[in-house]
Amino acid sequence: DEKPKAQILEIAHDTMGDASETMTTCNNYIDGRIVPPASNQYLDVVNPATSAPIGKVALSTTADVDAAVSAAHAAFPSWKSKTTKSRAAHMLKFHALVRTHAAELARLIVLENGKNFAEALADVAKGNETVEYACTLPQLSRGNIDVVSGGGITCRDRRDPLGVVASIAPFNFPFMVPHWTLPIALVAGNTIVLKPSEKVPLTMYRVVEMLEEAGFPKGVVNLVNGTREAVEGLIDHPLVRAVTFVGSSPVAEIVSRRCRELNKRCTALGGAKNHLIALPDCDVEGTSSDVVVSYAGCAGQRCMAASVLLIVGDEEDTHQKALLQNVIEKAAKIQPGTEQGKMGPVIDDHSLKKILSYIERSEKEGATILLDGRSWMSEMANTKGNWIGPTVILHGNKADGAMNEEVFGPVLSVHHVSTWQEAIAIENANPFGNAAAIYTTNGGHAEWFLTRVRAAVSSRGNDFILVCVYLLLLVFFSWVLCSKHVDARRKYRHTSATRTIQ
């Protein structure tokens, strides 16, 4: 069987050039073999920086899904019978391979997703940190033994793997998000069927080869490419015991509801609307830097990106005016490109049109465009890519669409509020997660918000609070790194079951 590596390496070096002559075909990986889809149909994979085709991805049918799930199910008894330590040994080898080939994987991410190279390397590094966590499961997965009554009667509990786990991943982090599930599920003793986004299949197509090189037996890891039919086939398959999904909120709700109806475990993560609250005593330089990195990093295509900046205090206050001006000036200096320090394109024309529609809608609603990223469309017209620059919108009405809905692009909505209570009311009213950030130099002020923000209490998705207090001003994205162990523990519980033995 032909391996994907050699084909992919040829196109991984030129992320802004025409790679049409060296396109790769991403088939499925089932039971240790690269196999074409039963339909023999494919979609183009496109470089978002140039709109040039860089490969083709299989359109799998329910027959392909059934083959992959059946292979995973057949491999489960043998894989489950191994010790956690021996399963972790394979993952440790994979961890080393990821470190060795990190630059290669990052080039693939730049090519198919459009991140700049530094962001792509971070994507790989963060995913590999969850691999590290999985390697510690031999120590973390120990059960408990209690003496429950006289006569030597004991009660023992342990966590057992479920069986076949399906992981359905989005486009925005081609390596990291699949690895929220894959390494933990495998070391816990499950087998897995992965469905990467059809927009970014190259990265995980290379990863399955690395997993094979790490010694994972045939059938333990399977990959099925495709779109809706493949997703629905995985969710509905009776041998799939658990599903993890990351994507838009409407689809996440459909996936969750469908799994519940089938009495199937499901973790479905959707969209977000993250609020930053800047108090009058915040550090202008540090806060403005954090805000720009957060909303413009990865072209704003991440669920932890800043999307609403609430500036508390008098609009004419010199300090708060300086904050907003610094945000605009820093964002305006960002250049388009996929090199380190620049901002790449958004994933496709559909995303670009959606972002544009929110900017245009904001204008119609009476908002003021303080920084217009639409200028990049003419500046980068010769590339034919999906380019939109950092945009800052000042809203006079908190009900504006961009203030309340997920734009998923490099757009920051700014709104002035007079009081802390008004800021909290806006943050609390939004139904989405994932985060809230408070910028202040006063610990007492930060504590007031900690007990009142809705994020991390009842919003949808994974929720966190960031407090930037005193001079400890953290980059918003860096703060997300603290969440990996929380999410990893959840994934371990999600892909295993507690068994009590008396």
Side-chain angles (χ1 to χ4, degrees):
D1 297 309
E2 189 174 6
K3 302 297 183 185
K5 178 181 177 182
Q7 293 175 308
I8 291 178
L9 278 176
E10 294 177 15
I11 62 174
H13 295 283
D14 183 11
T15 60
M16 291 287 284
D18 183 2
S20 59
E21 295 183 1
T22 52
M23 291 195 300
T24 189
T25 298
C26 295
N27 284 300
N28 297 325
Y29 180 78
I30 300 174
D31 202 23
R33 297 182 299 114
I34 300 294
V35 294
S39 67
N40 201 32
Q41 295 183 345
Y42 296 84
L43 280 177
D44 284 340
V45 182
V46 175
N47 181 345
T50 64
S51 296
I54 54 176
K56 292 186 178 296
V57 59
L59 280 175
S60 297
T61 65
T62 52
D64 300 302
V65 170
D66 182 64
V69 174
S70 297
H73 181 68
F76 175 62
S78 175
W79 183 243
K80 175 187 176 182
S81 69
K82 295 181 180 294
T83 64
T84 308
K85 181 180 177 181
S86 65
R87 295 192 295 261
H90 292 295
M91 194 58 66
L92 195 59
K93 292 178 182 177
F94 174 67
H95 176 268
L97 288 170
V98 171
R99 293 190 65 176
T100 299
H101 298 286
E104 174 196 340
L105 292 168
R107 286 193 293 269
L108 289 174
I109 292 168
V110 174
L111 182 71
E112 65 182 354
N113 173 270
K115 294 184 191 298
N116 73 42
F117 188 69
E119 293 169 340
L121 281 173
D123 185 341
V124 175
K126 297 318 300 175
N128 212 22
E129 285 188 1
T130 309
V131 175
E132 292 171 7
Y133 180 91
C135 291
T136 70
L137 284 182
Q139 285 71 46
L140 300 176
S141 62
R142 297 171 182 169
N144 298 296
I145 298 178
D146 292 317
V147 177
V148 296
S149 66
I153 298 176
T154 62
C155 181
R156 176 163 60 99
D157 70 76
R158 69 184 189 214
R159 297 202 71 87
D160 287 347
L162 300 176
V164 181
V165 174
S167 176
I168 303 163
F171 72 83
N172 58 331
F173 285 90
F175 185 90
M176 182 182 73
V177 173
H179 285 82
W180 286 350
T181 300
L182 186 147
I184 297 167
L186 291 176
V187 178
N190 302 281
T191 54
I192 195 163
V193 180
L194 173 71
K195 210 299 285 184
S197 169
E198 69 278 6
K199 299 175 184 179
V200 291
L202 300 180
T203 302
M204 292 308 295
Y205 195 56
R206 174 68 177 102
V207 164
V208 294
E209 185 184 61
M210 295 166 62
L211 289 163
E212 184 178 305
E213 187 178 346
F216 285 89
K218 292 181 179 180
V220 171
V221 180
N222 304 272
L223 181 146
V224 174
N225 285 301
T227 54
R228 181 171 180 171
E229 184 174 354
V231 170
E232 293 180 346
L234 285 170
I235 295 170
D236 294 342
H237 201 290
L239 295 179
V240 172
R241 297 292 306 280
V243 174
T244 65
F245 172 88
V246 181
S248 68
S249 288
V251 179
E253 290 179 358
I254 293 170
V255 170
S256 178
R257 183 165 56 250
R258 195 161 181 156
C259 287
R260 289 198 305 271
E261 291 171 353
L262 297 169
N263 197 28
K264 189 170 297 189
R265 289 195 182 192
C266 178
T267 296
L269 305 180
K273 198 68 182 174
N274 304 310
H275 293 75
L276 313 185
I277 302 174
L279 302 189
D281 64 339
C282 71
D283 179 88
V284 169
E285 180 62 27
T287 301
S288 59
S289 294
D290 286 2
V291 170
V292 173
V293 169
S294 179
Y295 98 85
C298 297
Q301 297 176 118
R302 57 188 184 198
C303 64
M304 295 305 299
S307 53
V308 175
L309 172 62
L310 300 175
I311 300 178
V312 182
D314 187 346
E315 287 189 46
E316 298 304 316
D317 179 76
T318 303
H319 181 276
Q320 298 299 64
K321 289 178 71 174
L323 171 63
L324 181 55
Q325 187 59 34
N326 273 30
V327 168
I328 296 168
E329 290 175 358
K330 291 179 189 298
K333 292 178 181 178
I334 297 174
Q335 297 297 311
T338 54
E339 299 86 0
Q340 183 170 341
K342 296 185 177 181
M343 194 182 88
V346 296
I347 190 65
D348 57 19
D349 184 62
H350 174 77
S351 293
L352 178 61
K353 288 178 178 177
K354 177 185 174 183
I355 295 165
L356 291 173
S357 71
Y358 275 104
I359 299 173
E360 292 163 3
R361 178 179 167 187
S362 295
E363 288 180 309
K364 293 177 181 177
E365 290 170 333
T368 303
I369 310 300
L370 302 178
L371 180 64
D372 196 340
R374 290 174 292 188
S375 62
W376 280 22
M377 297 176 67
S378 56
E379 292 175 24
M380 301 295 288
N382 63 317
T383 69
K384 301 180 181 180
N386 307 306
W387 297 95
I388 179 78
T391 299
V392 179
I393 305 175
L394 180 62
H395 297 268
N397 188 345
K398 64 183 180 182
D400 287 354
M403 281 283 296
N404 294 279
E405 300 163 17
E406 185 179 42
V407 179
F408 217 63
V411 177
L412 179 70
S413 291
V414 180
H415 183 64
H416 287 280
V417 295
S418 300
T419 65
W420 297 4
Q421 290 79 3
E422 189 179 351
I424 281 293
I426 292 173
E427 191 274 343
N428 284 186
N430 196 279
F432 298 106
N434 287 338
I438 317 301
Y439 290 93
T440 179
T441 54
N442 186 300
H445 297 171
E447 194 65 30
W448 188 92
F449 281 93
L450 278 175
T451 60
R452 291 168 173 82
V453 290
R454 188 171 183 268
V457 178
S458 58
S459 301
R460 303 173 188 174
N462 287 334
D463 302 316
F464 310 97
I465 304 171
L466 171 65
V467 175
C468 293
V469 64
Y470 303 118
L471 297 179
L472 184 62
L473 289 158
L474 306 178
V475 176
F476 195 74
F477 182 63
S478 299
W479 164 74
V480 181
L481 313 187
C482 303
S483 73
K484 68 181 186 298
H485 295 303
V486 176
D487 188 73
R489 288 195 296 268
R490 289 176 180 173
K491 284 296 190 294
Y492 178 51
R493 292 193 296 269
H494 177 68
T495 58
S496 62
T498 300
R499 178 166 297 181
T500 302
I501 304 165
Q502 276 190 320

